[in-house]
């Protein structure tokens, strides 16, 4: 792996690839390469619903067809396990907060073996969700439906309709460390000269050392970057948020229990991720911090998959 990440290798290779392809397959008469400063169309279209802020839904979706607590955009069946208990197993004065998370899977038909993995779908923390929504001046109760803009790009299977609150809580990875492509998309909306100059530096081959120091070395989050570029952030239309912000990914944990000892239950030992960099605010793991803050009865969407560890059988 390159010191500056995969982008430092992929981008020069792509430039070389396009040059080679054009030498073998030149453009037809009347065709031209789209300039890099021309903003591409958004991947989706947004159809807004009429918002009634007096119904007290606080961004929740009333849907008879699906349990909105369970993400529907993953390519597998997600089960809404209920939290039985969430207990800290390390001493209160120990530097590492480690939790024993017990989850009820009664009636799920989930089966697992020692060494298998539970894949958990987390939510973004409430404080970052509120910060994101208020900073971009979004209405959390606004509901919408996504539609295809081009036939080549499938629409994610979000609830229909979906609220802005639900989207930011469950779908957008607002706490990730952004990659170079994020700054390239932001550059399309930059009008302030100082911000535009900095974004151009971050997206250039010569500026990758600066980008690495600004983002990766200190683990700066996407939300923090938006705060650092206030003029540009204010120009990003809502429909483009799904283009510039990646999808919140599920996290995998080794299962720490046995069905023979604990029927209808999955247990996870989760070390809560929190550390300090040069940035004043501590860095926190999205999923581990979310799990640590849950109370009994909360829903934890998950599925299981085979692990890489295979224990010998009785005859081995």
């Amino acid at each position: 792996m390159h010191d500056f990440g995969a982008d430092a290798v992929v981008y020069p290779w792509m430039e070389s690839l396009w040059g080679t392809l054009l030498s073998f397959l030149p453009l037809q008469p009347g065709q031209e390469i789209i300039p890099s400063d021309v903003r591409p169309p958004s991947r989706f279209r947004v159809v807004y619903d009429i918002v009634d802020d007096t119904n007290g839904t606080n961004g929740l979706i009333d849907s008879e067809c699906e349990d909105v607590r369970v993400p529907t955009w993953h390519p597998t069946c997600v089960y809404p396990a209920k939290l039985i208990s969430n207990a800290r197993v390390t001493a209160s004065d120990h530097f590492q907060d480690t939790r024993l998370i017990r989850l009820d899977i009664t009636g799920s038909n989930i089966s697992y073996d020692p060494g298998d993995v539970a894949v958990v779908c987390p939510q973004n923390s409430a404080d970052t969700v509120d910060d994101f929504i208020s900073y971009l001046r979004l209405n959390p109760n606004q509901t919408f439906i996504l539609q295809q803009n081009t036939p080549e790009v499938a629409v994610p299977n979000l609830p229909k309709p979906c609220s802005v609150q639900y989207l930011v809580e469950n779908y957008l990875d607002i706490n990730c460390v952004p990659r170079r492509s994020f700054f390239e998309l932001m550059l399309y909306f930059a009008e302030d000269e100082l911000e535009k100059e900095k974004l151009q530096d971050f997206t250039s081959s010569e500026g990758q050392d600066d980008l690495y120091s600004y983002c990766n070395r200190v683990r700066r989050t996407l939300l923090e970057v938006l705060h650092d570029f206030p003029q540009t952030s204010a120009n990003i239309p809502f429909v483009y948020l799904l283009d510039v912000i990646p999808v919140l990914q599920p996290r995998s944990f080794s299962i720490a229990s046995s069905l023979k000892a604990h029927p209808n239950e999955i247990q996870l030992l989760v070390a809560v991720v929190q550390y300090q960099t040069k940035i004043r605010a501590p860095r926190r793991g999205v999923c581990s911090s979310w799990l640590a803050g849950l109370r009994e009865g909360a829903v934890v969407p998950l599925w299981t998959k085979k692990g890489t560890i295979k224990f010998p059988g009785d005859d081995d």
Side-chain angles (χ1 to χ4, degrees), residues 19 30-31 33 42 59 66 94 137 146 154 202 274 299:
Q31 292 181 333
I33 297 176
S42 61
E66 52 195 14
H94 193 269
R137 298 180 180 179
L146 289 182
F202 284 161
Q274 180 172 324
V299 171

mmCIF file of all heavy atoms in Angstrom, residues 19 30-31 33 42 59 66 94 137 146 154 202 274 299:
data_model
loop_
_atom_site.group_PDB
_atom_site.id
_atom_site.type_symbol
_atom_site.label_atom_id
_atom_site.label_comp_id
_atom_site.label_asym_id
_atom_site.label_seq_id
_atom_site.Cartn_x
_atom_site.Cartn_y
_atom_site.Cartn_z
ATOM 1 N N GLY A 19 -5.078 7.366 -21.727
ATOM 2 C CA GLY A 19 -4.207 7.711 -22.857
ATOM 3 C C GLY A 19 -3.982 6.533 -23.781
ATOM 4 O O GLY A 19 -4.012 6.672 -25.013
ATOM 5 N N GLY A 30 -16.674 14.732 -34.165
ATOM 6 C CA GLY A 30 -17.730 15.396 -33.419
ATOM 7 C C GLY A 30 -17.749 15.070 -31.945
ATOM 8 O O GLY A 30 -18.464 15.723 -31.178
ATOM 9 N N GLN A 31 -16.975 14.063 -31.540
ATOM 10 C CA GLN A 31 -16.892 13.715 -30.127
ATOM 11 C C GLN A 31 -15.732 14.447 -29.475
ATOM 12 O O GLN A 31 -14.726 14.754 -30.125
ATOM 13 C CB GLN A 31 -16.707 12.201 -29.944
ATOM 14 C CG GLN A 31 -17.895 11.370 -30.347
ATOM 15 C CD GLN A 31 -17.641 9.877 -30.112
ATOM 16 O OE1 GLN A 31 -16.505 9.419 -30.135
ATOM 17 N NE2 GLN A 31 -18.718 9.142 -29.880
ATOM 18 N N ILE A 33 -13.728 14.940 -25.355
ATOM 19 C CA ILE A 33 -13.661 14.563 -23.948
ATOM 20 C C ILE A 33 -14.277 15.682 -23.106
ATOM 21 O O ILE A 33 -13.990 16.857 -23.307
ATOM 22 C CB ILE A 33 -12.199 14.318 -23.521
ATOM 23 C CG1 ILE A 33 -11.624 13.133 -24.309
ATOM 24 C CG2 ILE A 33 -12.107 14.058 -22.020
ATOM 25 C CD1 ILE A 33 -10.153 12.876 -24.026
ATOM 26 N N SER A 42 -26.366 14.758 -11.289
ATOM 27 C CA SER A 42 -26.503 13.934 -10.091
ATOM 28 C C SER A 42 -26.944 12.522 -10.471
ATOM 29 O O SER A 42 -27.603 12.312 -11.498
ATOM 30 C CB SER A 42 -27.510 14.549 -9.122
ATOM 31 O OG SER A 42 -28.786 14.643 -9.732
ATOM 32 N N GLY A 59 -39.099 13.214 12.153
ATOM 33 C CA GLY A 59 -38.293 12.568 11.126
ATOM 34 C C GLY A 59 -38.544 11.082 10.977
ATOM 35 O O GLY A 59 -37.888 10.425 10.198
ATOM 36 N N GLU A 66 -42.631 -2.033 5.669
ATOM 37 C CA GLU A 66 -41.326 -2.469 6.129
ATOM 38 C C GLU A 66 -40.999 -1.850 7.479
ATOM 39 O O GLU A 66 -41.514 -0.789 7.842
ATOM 40 C CB GLU A 66 -40.256 -2.083 5.102
ATOM 41 C CG GLU A 66 -40.299 -0.629 4.710
ATOM 42 C CD GLU A 66 -39.504 -0.345 3.460
ATOM 43 O OE1 GLU A 66 -39.143 -1.286 2.747
ATOM 44 O OE2 GLU A 66 -39.253 0.840 3.202
ATOM 45 N N HIS A 94 -10.188 1.799 33.878
ATOM 46 C CA HIS A 94 -9.307 1.270 32.837
ATOM 47 C C HIS A 94 -9.429 2.118 31.581
ATOM 48 O O HIS A 94 -10.509 2.620 31.253
ATOM 49 C CB HIS A 94 -9.665 -0.188 32.529
ATOM 50 C CG HIS A 94 -8.641 -0.915 31.715
ATOM 51 N ND1 HIS A 94 -8.672 -0.955 30.341
ATOM 52 C CD2 HIS A 94 -7.544 -1.617 32.096
ATOM 53 C CE1 HIS A 94 -7.650 -1.671 29.906
ATOM 54 N NE2 HIS A 94 -6.947 -2.079 30.943
ATOM 55 N N ARG A 137 -28.544 23.325 6.986
ATOM 56 C CA ARG A 137 -29.878 23.932 6.992
ATOM 57 C C ARG A 137 -30.909 23.039 6.309
ATOM 58 O O ARG A 137 -31.704 23.486 5.474
ATOM 59 C CB ARG A 137 -29.836 25.312 6.326
ATOM 60 C CG ARG A 137 -28.921 26.300 7.057
ATOM 61 C CD ARG A 137 -28.903 27.653 6.382
ATOM 62 N NE ARG A 137 -28.009 28.583 7.100
ATOM 63 C CZ ARG A 137 -27.786 29.830 6.721
ATOM 64 N NH1 ARG A 137 -28.377 30.314 5.637
ATOM 65 N NH2 ARG A 137 -26.972 30.599 7.420
ATOM 66 N N LEU A 146 -36.382 8.831 -3.938
ATOM 67 C CA LEU A 146 -35.329 8.867 -4.956
ATOM 68 C C LEU A 146 -35.814 8.184 -6.225
ATOM 69 O O LEU A 146 -36.489 7.151 -6.172
ATOM 70 C CB LEU A 146 -34.069 8.161 -4.452
ATOM 71 C CG LEU A 146 -33.259 8.851 -3.356
ATOM 72 C CD1 LEU A 146 -32.016 8.028 -3.033
ATOM 73 C CD2 LEU A 146 -32.859 10.256 -3.766
ATOM 74 N N ALA A 154 -28.611 2.227 -10.359
ATOM 75 C CA ALA A 154 -29.780 1.757 -9.616
ATOM 76 C C ALA A 154 -30.026 2.643 -8.400
ATOM 77 O O ALA A 154 -29.086 3.152 -7.773
ATOM 78 C CB ALA A 154 -29.572 0.313 -9.184
ATOM 79 N N PHE A 202 -5.804 19.990 -3.091
ATOM 80 C CA PHE A 202 -6.067 18.648 -2.566
ATOM 81 C C PHE A 202 -6.370 17.636 -3.668
ATOM 82 O O PHE A 202 -6.174 16.429 -3.471
ATOM 83 C CB PHE A 202 -7.243 18.686 -1.588
ATOM 84 C CG PHE A 202 -6.908 19.266 -0.242
ATOM 85 C CD1 PHE A 202 -7.921 19.735 0.595
ATOM 86 C CD2 PHE A 202 -5.599 19.342 0.205
ATOM 87 C CE1 PHE A 202 -7.622 20.263 1.839
ATOM 88 C CE2 PHE A 202 -5.284 19.872 1.446
ATOM 89 C CZ PHE A 202 -6.297 20.338 2.267
ATOM 90 N N GLN A 274 -11.863 4.952 20.810
ATOM 91 C CA GLN A 274 -11.732 6.381 21.091
ATOM 92 C C GLN A 274 -10.252 6.695 21.284
ATOM 93 O O GLN A 274 -9.576 6.045 22.077
ATOM 94 C CB GLN A 274 -12.522 6.788 22.331
ATOM 95 C CG GLN A 274 -12.420 8.275 22.661
ATOM 96 C CD GLN A 274 -13.349 8.709 23.775
ATOM 97 O OE1 GLN A 274 -14.464 8.206 23.884
ATOM 98 N NE2 GLN A 274 -12.913 9.632 24.614
ATOM 99 N N VAL A 299 -32.944 -1.851 19.146
ATOM 100 C CA VAL A 299 -32.821 -2.737 17.988
ATOM 101 C C VAL A 299 -31.434 -2.597 17.383
ATOM 102 O O VAL A 299 -30.960 -1.480 17.139
ATOM 103 C CB VAL A 299 -33.900 -2.418 16.936
ATOM 104 C CG1 VAL A 299 -33.634 -3.183 15.640
ATOM 105 C CG2 VAL A 299 -35.278 -2.763 17.473
#
